[in-house]
Amino acid sequence: MTMMEKIREYLQLSDEAPRVEEFLGKGKSFYEDFSLRGIRVSRVEPGFISCYFKVPLRLTDREGNLANGAIANLVDEVGGALVHVEGLPMSVSVDMSIAFLSKAKLGEELEITSRLLGERGGYKGTIVVVRNKMTGEIIAEGRHSMFGRQASKL
C-alpha cells in the first residue's frame, strides 16, 4: 500500500456508527471516528491533502454552527496525517494557531486542505485551510507545527 493510500485510509472513515470495541487494536479511537466520520479525501500528493466534509449535527454548537473545537480537531488531524511517516509513531503537536474567520452551518459542505510549509529535522509545519466548498469563503486557517522521529536513511 502506498503512502497516499495509507493517508486516505487513515482519514476516510465509514459513515456507519461504529461500536467502541471495534477500535481496540486498530489504532483509531472512538474520538477520531466521532470527529472525522464523514470526511472524504479527494486528493493526496506529496506535501498536500484535500478533503471534503459535510457539517454534521454532532459537531455543531448551540447556534447550529460547526464548533470551534471541531475545527481545531480537523486542523490537528488533517495536518498530522499530512506529515505522518509510516512505521513511526504519530508526531506530537508542538504549536497550533487557528484564525476563526467565519461560520460553517449544519449541512454545509467544506473543503479542507493541508499543505506542508516546511521541515527541519523532525520538526514539520503545515497550514490547514477550511473553506465553504460552494462559496469559497474561508471558515478557518490553522498553522500546525509538529515534532516526531525522522525516518531512517538506511
mmCIF file with all atom_site columns, all heavy atoms in Angstrom, residues 3 6-8 10-11 36 44 49 51 74-85 90 114 126 144 146:
data_model
loop_
_atom_site.group_PDB
_atom_site.id
_atom_site.type_symbol
_atom_site.label_atom_id
_atom_site.label_alt_id
_atom_site.label_comp_id
_atom_site.label_asym_id
_atom_site.label_entity_id
_atom_site.label_seq_id
_atom_site.pdbx_PDB_ins_code
_atom_site.Cartn_x
_atom_site.Cartn_y
_atom_site.Cartn_z
_atom_site.occupancy
_atom_site.B_iso_or_equiv
_atom_site.pdbx_formal_charge
_atom_site.auth_seq_id
_atom_site.auth_comp_id
_atom_site.auth_asym_id
_atom_site.auth_atom_id
_atom_site.pdbx_PDB_model_num
ATOM 1   N N   . MET A 1 3   ? 2.011   5.303  0.393  1.00 0.00 ? 3   MET A N   1
ATOM 2   C CA  . MET A 1 3   ? 1.809   6.296  1.441  1.00 0.00 ? 3   MET A CA  1
ATOM 3   C C   . MET A 1 3   ? 0.507   7.058  1.223  1.00 0.00 ? 3   MET A C   1
ATOM 4   O O   . MET A 1 3   ? -0.228  7.337  2.158  1.00 0.00 ? 3   MET A O   1
ATOM 5   C CB  . MET A 1 3   ? 3.006   7.248  1.486  1.00 0.00 ? 3   MET A CB  1
ATOM 6   C CG  . MET A 1 3   ? 2.855   8.316  2.518  1.00 0.00 ? 3   MET A CG  1
ATOM 7   S SD  . MET A 1 3   ? 2.678   7.561  4.128  1.00 0.00 ? 3   MET A SD  1
ATOM 8   C CE  . MET A 1 3   ? 3.536   8.704  5.106  1.00 0.00 ? 3   MET A CE  1
ATOM 9   N N   . LYS A 1 6   ? -2.382  5.016  2.345  1.00 0.00 ? 6   LYS A N   1
ATOM 10  C CA  . LYS A 1 6   ? -2.435  4.933  3.804  1.00 0.00 ? 6   LYS A CA  1
ATOM 11  C C   . LYS A 1 6   ? -3.029  6.200  4.413  1.00 0.00 ? 6   LYS A C   1
ATOM 12  O O   . LYS A 1 6   ? -3.805  6.137  5.355  1.00 0.00 ? 6   LYS A O   1
ATOM 13  C CB  . LYS A 1 6   ? -1.049  4.661  4.369  1.00 0.00 ? 6   LYS A CB  1
ATOM 14  C CG  . LYS A 1 6   ? -0.581  3.261  4.051  1.00 0.00 ? 6   LYS A CG  1
ATOM 15  C CD  . LYS A 1 6   ? 0.826   3.029  4.525  1.00 0.00 ? 6   LYS A CD  1
ATOM 16  C CE  . LYS A 1 6   ? 1.386   1.792  3.902  1.00 0.00 ? 6   LYS A CE  1
ATOM 17  N NZ  . LYS A 1 6   ? 1.489   0.655  4.704  1.00 0.00 ? 6   LYS A NZ  1
ATOM 18  N N   . ILE A 1 7   ? -2.676  7.362  3.859  1.00 0.00 ? 7   ILE A N   1
ATOM 19  C CA  . ILE A 1 7   ? -3.256  8.622  4.335  1.00 0.00 ? 7   ILE A CA  1
ATOM 20  C C   . ILE A 1 7   ? -4.756  8.619  4.071  1.00 0.00 ? 7   ILE A C   1
ATOM 21  O O   . ILE A 1 7   ? -5.556  8.963  4.936  1.00 0.00 ? 7   ILE A O   1
ATOM 22  C CB  . ILE A 1 7   ? -2.589  9.839  3.657  1.00 0.00 ? 7   ILE A CB  1
ATOM 23  C CG1 . ILE A 1 7   ? -1.155  9.994  4.159  1.00 0.00 ? 7   ILE A CG1 1
ATOM 24  C CG2 . ILE A 1 7   ? -3.388  11.116 3.909  1.00 0.00 ? 7   ILE A CG2 1
ATOM 25  C CD1 . ILE A 1 7   ? -0.346  11.027 3.401  1.00 0.00 ? 7   ILE A CD1 1
ATOM 26  N N   . ARG A 1 8   ? -5.142  8.223  2.876  1.00 0.00 ? 8   ARG A N   1
ATOM 27  C CA  . ARG A 1 8   ? -6.562  8.170  2.520  1.00 0.00 ? 8   ARG A CA  1
ATOM 28  C C   . ARG A 1 8   ? -7.311  7.240  3.480  1.00 0.00 ? 8   ARG A C   1
ATOM 29  O O   . ARG A 1 8   ? -8.379  7.573  3.979  1.00 0.00 ? 8   ARG A O   1
ATOM 30  C CB  . ARG A 1 8   ? -6.714  7.700  1.080  1.00 0.00 ? 8   ARG A CB  1
ATOM 31  C CG  . ARG A 1 8   ? -8.138  7.742  0.567  1.00 0.00 ? 8   ARG A CG  1
ATOM 32  C CD  . ARG A 1 8   ? -8.220  7.266  -0.874 1.00 0.00 ? 8   ARG A CD  1
ATOM 33  N NE  . ARG A 1 8   ? -7.384  8.028  -1.761 1.00 0.00 ? 8   ARG A NE  1
ATOM 34  C CZ  . ARG A 1 8   ? -7.779  9.093  -2.449 1.00 0.00 ? 8   ARG A CZ  1
ATOM 35  N NH1 . ARG A 1 8   ? -9.018  9.500  -2.331 1.00 0.00 ? 8   ARG A NH1 1
ATOM 36  N NH2 . ARG A 1 8   ? -6.955  9.725  -3.246 1.00 0.00 ? 8   ARG A NH2 1
ATOM 37  N N   . TYR A 1 10  ? -6.466  6.366  6.536  1.00 0.00 ? 10  TYR A N   1
ATOM 38  C CA  . TYR A 1 10  ? -6.482  6.931  7.886  1.00 0.00 ? 10  TYR A CA  1
ATOM 39  C C   . TYR A 1 10  ? -7.585  7.971  8.044  1.00 0.00 ? 10  TYR A C   1
ATOM 40  O O   . TYR A 1 10  ? -8.311  7.978  9.016  1.00 0.00 ? 10  TYR A O   1
ATOM 41  C CB  . TYR A 1 10  ? -5.121  7.569  8.217  1.00 0.00 ? 10  TYR A CB  1
ATOM 42  C CG  . TYR A 1 10  ? -5.125  8.311  9.530  1.00 0.00 ? 10  TYR A CG  1
ATOM 43  C CD1 . TYR A 1 10  ? -5.034  7.606  10.726 1.00 0.00 ? 10  TYR A CD1 1
ATOM 44  C CD2 . TYR A 1 10  ? -5.238  9.686  9.580  1.00 0.00 ? 10  TYR A CD2 1
ATOM 45  C CE1 . TYR A 1 10  ? -5.051  8.277  11.933 1.00 0.00 ? 10  TYR A CE1 1
ATOM 46  C CE2 . TYR A 1 10  ? -5.258  10.360 10.783 1.00 0.00 ? 10  TYR A CE2 1
ATOM 47  C CZ  . TYR A 1 10  ? -5.162  9.649  11.961 1.00 0.00 ? 10  TYR A CZ  1
ATOM 48  O OH  . TYR A 1 10  ? -5.191  10.311 13.164 1.00 0.00 ? 10  TYR A OH  1
ATOM 49  N N   . LEU A 1 11  ? -7.723  8.846  7.057  1.00 0.00 ? 11  LEU A N   1
ATOM 50  C CA  . LEU A 1 11  ? -8.693  9.934  7.169  1.00 0.00 ? 11  LEU A CA  1
ATOM 51  C C   . LEU A 1 11  ? -10.108 9.519  6.795  1.00 0.00 ? 11  LEU A C   1
ATOM 52  O O   . LEU A 1 11  ? -11.070 10.057 7.314  1.00 0.00 ? 11  LEU A O   1
ATOM 53  C CB  . LEU A 1 11  ? -8.273  11.110 6.286  1.00 0.00 ? 11  LEU A CB  1
ATOM 54  C CG  . LEU A 1 11  ? -7.102  11.922 6.796  1.00 0.00 ? 11  LEU A CG  1
ATOM 55  C CD1 . LEU A 1 11  ? -6.713  12.969 5.777  1.00 0.00 ? 11  LEU A CD1 1
ATOM 56  C CD2 . LEU A 1 11  ? -7.417  12.577 8.133  1.00 0.00 ? 11  LEU A CD2 1
ATOM 57  N N   . LEU A 1 36  ? -14.108 12.574 12.855 1.00 0.00 ? 36  LEU A N   1
ATOM 58  C CA  . LEU A 1 36  ? -13.741 12.503 11.438 1.00 0.00 ? 36  LEU A CA  1
ATOM 59  C C   . LEU A 1 36  ? -14.750 11.756 10.568 1.00 0.00 ? 36  LEU A C   1
ATOM 60  O O   . LEU A 1 36  ? -14.626 11.760 9.344  1.00 0.00 ? 36  LEU A O   1
ATOM 61  C CB  . LEU A 1 36  ? -12.378 11.834 11.273 1.00 0.00 ? 36  LEU A CB  1
ATOM 62  C CG  . LEU A 1 36  ? -11.187 12.589 11.829 1.00 0.00 ? 36  LEU A CG  1
ATOM 63  C CD1 . LEU A 1 36  ? -9.925  11.759 11.693 1.00 0.00 ? 36  LEU A CD1 1
ATOM 64  C CD2 . LEU A 1 36  ? -11.027 13.928 11.145 1.00 0.00 ? 36  LEU A CD2 1
ATOM 65  N N   . VAL A 1 44  ? -4.566  13.484 -2.778 1.00 0.00 ? 44  VAL A N   1
ATOM 66  C CA  . VAL A 1 44  ? -3.382  13.345 -1.938 1.00 0.00 ? 44  VAL A CA  1
ATOM 67  C C   . VAL A 1 44  ? -2.167  13.396 -2.842 1.00 0.00 ? 44  VAL A C   1
ATOM 68  O O   . VAL A 1 44  ? -2.083  12.658 -3.818 1.00 0.00 ? 44  VAL A O   1
ATOM 69  C CB  . VAL A 1 44  ? -3.378  12.006 -1.154 1.00 0.00 ? 44  VAL A CB  1
ATOM 70  C CG1 . VAL A 1 44  ? -2.126  11.862 -0.328 1.00 0.00 ? 44  VAL A CG1 1
ATOM 71  C CG2 . VAL A 1 44  ? -4.616  11.882 -0.284 1.00 0.00 ? 44  VAL A CG2 1
ATOM 72  N N   . ILE A 1 49  ? -2.872  17.577 0.933  1.00 0.00 ? 49  ILE A N   1
ATOM 73  C CA  . ILE A 1 49  ? -4.084  16.757 1.057  1.00 0.00 ? 49  ILE A CA  1
ATOM 74  C C   . ILE A 1 49  ? -5.278  17.682 0.859  1.00 0.00 ? 49  ILE A C   1
ATOM 75  O O   . ILE A 1 49  ? -5.290  18.808 1.362  1.00 0.00 ? 49  ILE A O   1
ATOM 76  C CB  . ILE A 1 49  ? -4.204  16.110 2.460  1.00 0.00 ? 49  ILE A CB  1
ATOM 77  C CG1 . ILE A 1 49  ? -3.090  15.125 2.727  1.00 0.00 ? 49  ILE A CG1 1
ATOM 78  C CG2 . ILE A 1 49  ? -5.552  15.416 2.613  1.00 0.00 ? 49  ILE A CG2 1
ATOM 79  C CD1 . ILE A 1 49  ? -3.121  14.547 4.133  1.00 0.00 ? 49  ILE A CD1 1
ATOM 80  N N   . CYS A 1 51  ? -9.582  17.428 1.294  1.00 0.00 ? 51  CYS A N   1
ATOM 81  C CA  . CYS A 1 51  ? -10.700 16.621 1.774  1.00 0.00 ? 51  CYS A CA  1
ATOM 82  C C   . CYS A 1 51  ? -11.991 17.419 1.674  1.00 0.00 ? 51  CYS A C   1
ATOM 83  O O   . CYS A 1 51  ? -11.970 18.650 1.611  1.00 0.00 ? 51  CYS A O   1
ATOM 84  C CB  . CYS A 1 51  ? -10.516 16.260 3.250  1.00 0.00 ? 51  CYS A CB  1
ATOM 85  S SG  . CYS A 1 51  ? -8.966  15.515 3.699  1.00 0.00 ? 51  CYS A SG  1
ATOM 86  N N   . LEU A 1 74  ? -10.063 19.200 13.283 1.00 0.00 ? 74  LEU A N   1
ATOM 87  C CA  . LEU A 1 74  ? -9.810  18.985 11.856 1.00 0.00 ? 74  LEU A CA  1
ATOM 88  C C   . LEU A 1 74  ? -8.420  19.484 11.474 1.00 0.00 ? 74  LEU A C   1
ATOM 89  O O   . LEU A 1 74  ? -7.698  18.824 10.723 1.00 0.00 ? 74  LEU A O   1
ATOM 90  C CB  . LEU A 1 74  ? -10.872 19.673 11.010 1.00 0.00 ? 74  LEU A CB  1
ATOM 91  C CG  . LEU A 1 74  ? -12.264 19.039 11.036 1.00 0.00 ? 74  LEU A CG  1
ATOM 92  C CD1 . LEU A 1 74  ? -13.288 19.953 10.394 1.00 0.00 ? 74  LEU A CD1 1
ATOM 93  C CD2 . LEU A 1 74  ? -12.247 17.674 10.367 1.00 0.00 ? 74  LEU A CD2 1
ATOM 94  N N   . VAL A 1 75  ? -8.024  20.649 11.997 1.00 0.00 ? 75  VAL A N   1
ATOM 95  C CA  . VAL A 1 75  ? -6.681  21.175 11.740 1.00 0.00 ? 75  VAL A CA  1
ATOM 96  C C   . VAL A 1 75  ? -5.639  20.193 12.270 1.00 0.00 ? 75  VAL A C   1
ATOM 97  O O   . VAL A 1 75  ? -4.654  19.873 11.585 1.00 0.00 ? 75  VAL A O   1
ATOM 98  C CB  . VAL A 1 75  ? -6.506  22.574 12.377 1.00 0.00 ? 75  VAL A CB  1
ATOM 99  C CG1 . VAL A 1 75  ? -5.046  23.018 12.340 1.00 0.00 ? 75  VAL A CG1 1
ATOM 100 C CG2 . VAL A 1 75  ? -7.395  23.598 11.679 1.00 0.00 ? 75  VAL A CG2 1
ATOM 101 N N   . ASP A 1 76  ? -5.855  19.671 13.461 1.00 0.00 ? 76  ASP A N   1
ATOM 102 C CA  . ASP A 1 76  ? -4.913  18.733 14.080 1.00 0.00 ? 76  ASP A CA  1
ATOM 103 C C   . ASP A 1 76  ? -4.822  17.433 13.283 1.00 0.00 ? 76  ASP A C   1
ATOM 104 O O   . ASP A 1 76  ? -3.727  16.978 12.938 1.00 0.00 ? 76  ASP A O   1
ATOM 105 C CB  . ASP A 1 76  ? -5.355  18.456 15.514 1.00 0.00 ? 76  ASP A CB  1
ATOM 106 C CG  . ASP A 1 76  ? -4.396  17.560 16.276 1.00 0.00 ? 76  ASP A CG  1
ATOM 107 O OD1 . ASP A 1 76  ? -3.173  17.618 16.033 1.00 0.00 ? 76  ASP A OD1 1
ATOM 108 O OD2 . ASP A 1 76  ? -4.871  16.802 17.149 1.00 0.00 ? 76  ASP A OD2 1
ATOM 109 N N   . GLU A 1 77  ? -5.942  16.840 12.962 1.00 0.00 ? 77  GLU A N   1
ATOM 110 C CA  . GLU A 1 77  ? -5.954  15.530 12.299 1.00 0.00 ? 77  GLU A CA  1
ATOM 111 C C   . GLU A 1 77  ? -5.473  15.592 10.849 1.00 0.00 ? 77  GLU A C   1
ATOM 112 O O   . GLU A 1 77  ? -4.676  14.767 10.421 1.00 0.00 ? 77  GLU A O   1
ATOM 113 C CB  . GLU A 1 77  ? -7.357  14.915 12.356 1.00 0.00 ? 77  GLU A CB  1
ATOM 114 C CG  . GLU A 1 77  ? -7.805  14.519 13.746 1.00 0.00 ? 77  GLU A CG  1
ATOM 115 C CD  . GLU A 1 77  ? -7.062  13.315 14.305 1.00 0.00 ? 77  GLU A CD  1
ATOM 116 O OE1 . GLU A 1 77  ? -6.438  12.561 13.537 1.00 0.00 ? 77  GLU A OE1 1
ATOM 117 O OE2 . GLU A 1 77  ? -7.124  13.125 15.525 1.00 0.00 ? 77  GLU A OE2 1
ATOM 118 N N   . VAL A 1 78  ? -5.962  16.564 10.082 1.00 0.00 ? 78  VAL A N   1
ATOM 119 C CA  . VAL A 1 78  ? -5.581  16.636 8.668  1.00 0.00 ? 78  VAL A CA  1
ATOM 120 C C   . VAL A 1 78  ? -4.134  17.097 8.537  1.00 0.00 ? 78  VAL A C   1
ATOM 121 O O   . VAL A 1 78  ? -3.374  16.575 7.717  1.00 0.00 ? 78  VAL A O   1
ATOM 122 C CB  . VAL A 1 78  ? -6.559  17.531 7.869  1.00 0.00 ? 78  VAL A CB  1
ATOM 123 C CG1 . VAL A 1 78  ? -6.112  17.669 6.423  1.00 0.00 ? 78  VAL A CG1 1
ATOM 124 C CG2 . VAL A 1 78  ? -7.969  16.950 7.928  1.00 0.00 ? 78  VAL A CG2 1
ATOM 125 N N   . GLY A 1 79  ? -3.714  18.050 9.371  1.00 0.00 ? 79  GLY A N   1
ATOM 126 C CA  . GLY A 1 79  ? -2.309  18.468 9.370  1.00 0.00 ? 79  GLY A CA  1
ATOM 127 C C   . GLY A 1 79  ? -1.387  17.347 9.799  1.00 0.00 ? 79  GLY A C   1
ATOM 128 O O   . GLY A 1 79  ? -0.325  17.130 9.217  1.00 0.00 ? 79  GLY A O   1
ATOM 129 N N   . GLY A 1 80  ? -1.788  16.576 10.814 1.00 0.00 ? 80  GLY A N   1
ATOM 130 C CA  . GLY A 1 80  ? -0.978  15.454 11.306 1.00 0.00 ? 80  GLY A CA  1
ATOM 131 C C   . GLY A 1 80  ? -0.877  14.321 10.302 1.00 0.00 ? 80  GLY A C   1
ATOM 132 O O   . GLY A 1 80  ? 0.172   13.693 10.159 1.00 0.00 ? 80  GLY A O   1
ATOM 133 N N   . ALA A 1 81  ? -1.977  14.040 9.592  1.00 0.00 ? 81  ALA A N   1
ATOM 134 C CA  . ALA A 1 81  ? -1.958  12.969 8.590  1.00 0.00 ? 81  ALA A CA  1
ATOM 135 C C   . ALA A 1 81  ? -0.998  13.302 7.463  1.00 0.00 ? 81  ALA A C   1
ATOM 136 O O   . ALA A 1 81  ? -0.352  12.419 6.901  1.00 0.00 ? 81  ALA A O   1
ATOM 137 C CB  . ALA A 1 81  ? -3.361  12.736 8.041  1.00 0.00 ? 81  ALA A CB  1
ATOM 138 N N   . LEU A 1 82  ? -0.881  14.583 7.140  1.00 0.00 ? 82  LEU A N   1
ATOM 139 C CA  . LEU A 1 82  ? -0.006  15.005 6.055  1.00 0.00 ? 82  LEU A CA  1
ATOM 140 C C   . LEU A 1 82  ? 1.462   14.693 6.331  1.00 0.00 ? 82  LEU A C   1
ATOM 141 O O   . LEU A 1 82  ? 2.198   14.308 5.437  1.00 0.00 ? 82  LEU A O   1
ATOM 142 C CB  . LEU A 1 82  ? -0.170  16.509 5.804  1.00 0.00 ? 82  LEU A CB  1
ATOM 143 C CG  . LEU A 1 82  ? 0.688   17.100 4.698  1.00 0.00 ? 82  LEU A CG  1
ATOM 144 C CD1 . LEU A 1 82  ? 0.276   16.543 3.342  1.00 0.00 ? 82  LEU A CD1 1
ATOM 145 C CD2 . LEU A 1 82  ? 0.594   18.609 4.710  1.00 0.00 ? 82  LEU A CD2 1
ATOM 146 N N   . VAL A 1 83  ? 1.900   14.812 7.576  1.00 0.00 ? 83  VAL A N   1
ATOM 147 C CA  . VAL A 1 83  ? 3.323   14.636 7.892  1.00 0.00 ? 83  VAL A CA  1
ATOM 148 C C   . VAL A 1 83  ? 3.644   13.278 8.506  1.00 0.00 ? 83  VAL A C   1
ATOM 149 O O   . VAL A 1 83  ? 4.803   12.999 8.813  1.00 0.00 ? 83  VAL A O   1
ATOM 150 C CB  . VAL A 1 83  ? 3.840   15.760 8.832  1.00 0.00 ? 83  VAL A CB  1
ATOM 151 C CG1 . VAL A 1 83  ? 3.637   17.108 8.188  1.00 0.00 ? 83  VAL A CG1 1
ATOM 152 C CG2 . VAL A 1 83  ? 3.192   15.696 10.197 1.00 0.00 ? 83  VAL A CG2 1
ATOM 153 N N   . HIS A 1 84  ? 2.639   12.434 8.666  1.00 0.00 ? 84  HIS A N   1
ATOM 154 C CA  . HIS A 1 84  ? 2.884   11.125 9.285  1.00 0.00 ? 84  HIS A CA  1
ATOM 155 C C   . HIS A 1 84  ? 3.804   10.268 8.416  1.00 0.00 ? 84  HIS A C   1
ATOM 156 O O   . HIS A 1 84  ? 3.656   10.214 7.196  1.00 0.00 ? 84  HIS A O   1
ATOM 157 C CB  . HIS A 1 84  ? 1.565   10.391 9.518  1.00 0.00 ? 84  HIS A CB  1
ATOM 158 C CG  . HIS A 1 84  ? 1.756   9.040  10.141 1.00 0.00 ? 84  HIS A CG  1
ATOM 159 N ND1 . HIS A 1 84  ? 2.271   8.881  11.405 1.00 0.00 ? 84  HIS A ND1 1
ATOM 160 C CD2 . HIS A 1 84  ? 1.533   7.804  9.666  1.00 0.00 ? 84  HIS A CD2 1
ATOM 161 C CE1 . HIS A 1 84  ? 2.338   7.580  11.677 1.00 0.00 ? 84  HIS A CE1 1
ATOM 162 N NE2 . HIS A 1 84  ? 1.902   6.918  10.637 1.00 0.00 ? 84  HIS A NE2 1
ATOM 163 N N   . VAL A 1 85  ? 4.756   9.605  9.056  1.00 0.00 ? 85  VAL A N   1
ATOM 164 C CA  . VAL A 1 85  ? 5.677   8.699  8.363  1.00 0.00 ? 85  VAL A CA  1
ATOM 165 C C   . VAL A 1 85  ? 5.321   7.282  8.775  1.00 0.00 ? 85  VAL A C   1
ATOM 166 O O   . VAL A 1 85  ? 5.310   6.959  9.971  1.00 0.00 ? 85  VAL A O   1
ATOM 167 C CB  . VAL A 1 85  ? 7.153   9.010  8.730  1.00 0.00 ? 85  VAL A CB  1
ATOM 168 C CG1 . VAL A 1 85  ? 8.086   8.002  8.082  1.00 0.00 ? 85  VAL A CG1 1
ATOM 169 C CG2 . VAL A 1 85  ? 7.507   10.429 8.332  1.00 0.00 ? 85  VAL A CG2 1
ATOM 170 N N   . MET A 1 90  ? 3.006   8.670  15.576 1.00 0.00 ? 90  MET A N   1
ATOM 171 C CA  . MET A 1 90  ? 2.499   9.961  15.119 1.00 0.00 ? 90  MET A CA  1
ATOM 172 C C   . MET A 1 90  ? 3.328   11.075 15.744 1.00 0.00 ? 90  MET A C   1
ATOM 173 O O   . MET A 1 90  ? 3.792   10.956 16.871 1.00 0.00 ? 90  MET A O   1
ATOM 174 C CB  . MET A 1 90  ? 1.028   10.156 15.523 1.00 0.00 ? 90  MET A CB  1
ATOM 175 C CG  . MET A 1 90  ? 0.046   9.290  14.761 1.00 0.00 ? 90  MET A CG  1
ATOM 176 S SD  . MET A 1 90  ? -0.053  9.623  12.995 1.00 0.00 ? 90  MET A SD  1
ATOM 177 C CE  . MET A 1 90  ? -0.921  11.170 12.983 1.00 0.00 ? 90  MET A CE  1
ATOM 178 N N   . SER A 1 114 ? -4.580  20.799 3.347  1.00 0.00 ? 114 SER A N   1
ATOM 179 C CA  . SER A 1 114 ? -3.388  20.903 4.186  1.00 0.00 ? 114 SER A CA  1
ATOM 180 C C   . SER A 1 114 ? -2.170  20.881 3.281  1.00 0.00 ? 114 SER A C   1
ATOM 181 O O   . SER A 1 114 ? -2.077  20.042 2.387  1.00 0.00 ? 114 SER A O   1
ATOM 182 C CB  . SER A 1 114 ? -3.333  19.728 5.170  1.00 0.00 ? 114 SER A CB  1
ATOM 183 O OG  . SER A 1 114 ? -2.193  19.834 5.990  1.00 0.00 ? 114 SER A OG  1
ATOM 184 N N   . THR A 1 126 ? 2.673   22.723 8.944  1.00 0.00 ? 126 THR A N   1
ATOM 185 C CA  . THR A 1 126 ? 1.633   22.647 7.923  1.00 0.00 ? 126 THR A CA  1
ATOM 186 C C   . THR A 1 126 ? 0.703   23.845 8.055  1.00 0.00 ? 126 THR A C   1
ATOM 187 O O   . THR A 1 126 ? 0.637   24.482 9.101  1.00 0.00 ? 126 THR A O   1
ATOM 188 C CB  . THR A 1 126 ? 0.781   21.364 8.041  1.00 0.00 ? 126 THR A CB  1
ATOM 189 O OG1 . THR A 1 126 ? 0.059   21.388 9.273  1.00 0.00 ? 126 THR A OG1 1
ATOM 190 C CG2 . THR A 1 126 ? 1.632   20.115 7.971  1.00 0.00 ? 126 THR A CG2 1
ATOM 191 N N   . HIS A 1 144 ? -0.027  24.463 11.977 1.00 0.00 ? 144 HIS A N   1
ATOM 192 C CA  . HIS A 1 144 ? 0.172   23.332 12.883 1.00 0.00 ? 144 HIS A CA  1
ATOM 193 C C   . HIS A 1 144 ? 1.618   22.887 12.794 1.00 0.00 ? 144 HIS A C   1
ATOM 194 O O   . HIS A 1 144 ? 2.087   22.499 11.732 1.00 0.00 ? 144 HIS A O   1
ATOM 195 C CB  . HIS A 1 144 ? -0.784  22.213 12.460 1.00 0.00 ? 144 HIS A CB  1
ATOM 196 C CG  . HIS A 1 144 ? -0.857  21.071 13.411 1.00 0.00 ? 144 HIS A CG  1
ATOM 197 N ND1 . HIS A 1 144 ? -1.406  19.880 13.045 1.00 0.00 ? 144 HIS A ND1 1
ATOM 198 C CD2 . HIS A 1 144 ? -0.486  20.928 14.693 1.00 0.00 ? 144 HIS A CD2 1
ATOM 199 C CE1 . HIS A 1 144 ? -1.354  19.041 14.070 1.00 0.00 ? 144 HIS A CE1 1
ATOM 200 N NE2 . HIS A 1 144 ? -0.792  19.664 15.080 1.00 0.00 ? 144 HIS A NE2 1
ATOM 201 N N   . MET A 1 146 ? 4.577   20.312 14.260 1.00 0.00 ? 146 MET A N   1
ATOM 202 C CA  . MET A 1 146 ? 4.703   19.004 14.906 1.00 0.00 ? 146 MET A CA  1
ATOM 203 C C   . MET A 1 146 ? 6.158   18.561 14.955 1.00 0.00 ? 146 MET A C   1
ATOM 204 O O   . MET A 1 146 ? 6.960   18.990 14.142 1.00 0.00 ? 146 MET A O   1
ATOM 205 C CB  . MET A 1 146 ? 3.872   17.969 14.131 1.00 0.00 ? 146 MET A CB  1
ATOM 206 C CG  . MET A 1 146 ? 2.390   18.206 14.234 1.00 0.00 ? 146 MET A CG  1
ATOM 207 S SD  . MET A 1 146 ? 1.508   17.636 12.784 1.00 0.00 ? 146 MET A SD  1
ATOM 208 C CE  . MET A 1 146 ? 1.872   18.931 11.638 1.00 0.00 ? 146 MET A CE  1
#
